[in-house]
Amino acid sequence: MAVEHNMQSSTIVDVLEKILDKGVVIAGDITVGIADVELLTIKIRLIVASVDKAKEIGMDWWENGPYLSSKGANNKALEEENKQLHERLKALEEKIETKR
């Protein structure tokens, strides 16, 4: 009695690996309106890909996002504000010292 093997079967891991390797884009728009008057439009864009694939196509918002990374764009502004506050504090402390 011979055992048959199905060589075409794919596991969920195989499918997921292919999706992450190649990437999948899902795009759609939802519009809500009454009597031909548009009240709300929602644009949905979803990309499912590995981090390496996303970087390859130029997506790296998680590395520079101010709320997602310490390298965010707000850091420069925060550093500048911190520097200004230190300078103001130093000037105030010097004024206090000269009045004593």
Side-chain angles (χ1 to χ4, degrees):
M1 183 183 285
V3 177
E4 293 182 25
H5 294 282
N6 186 357
M7 301 306 268
Q8 295 294 324
S9 68
S10 294
T11 65
I12 188 76
V13 174
D14 294 333
V15 173
L16 186 58
E17 183 179 346
K18 287 179 183 179
I19 289 173
L20 292 177
D21 184 46
K22 302 291 182 192
V24 173
V25 176
I26 300 170
D29 297 336
I30 299 171
T31 303
V32 177
I34 297 176
D36 293 333
V37 177
E38 188 176 309
L39 300 174
L40 174 69
T41 298
I42 300 172
K43 295 187 179 279
I44 300 169
R45 306 293 182 259
L46 173 67
I47 294 182
V48 178
S50 67
V51 171
D52 293 334
K53 185 66 175 179
K55 285 183 178 181
E56 184 181 312
I57 62 174
M59 292 182 61
D60 63 352
W61 49 264
W62 62 88
E63 289 183 344
N64 300 315
Y67 300 106
L68 301 172
S69 170
S70 61
K71 299 177 189 174
N74 280 349
N75 269 357
K76 291 191 187 292
L78 290 173
E79 287 174 9
E80 182 61 32
E81 182 182 13
N82 194 16
K83 182 180 174 184
Q84 290 174 357
L85 289 172
H86 278 286
E87 290 171 358
R88 289 177 62 191
L89 181 61
K90 185 177 178 180
L92 289 170
E93 288 173 342
E94 289 173 359
K95 278 185 181 181
I96 290 172
E97 288 297 320
T98 57
K99 289 185 178 182
R100 285 186 184 182

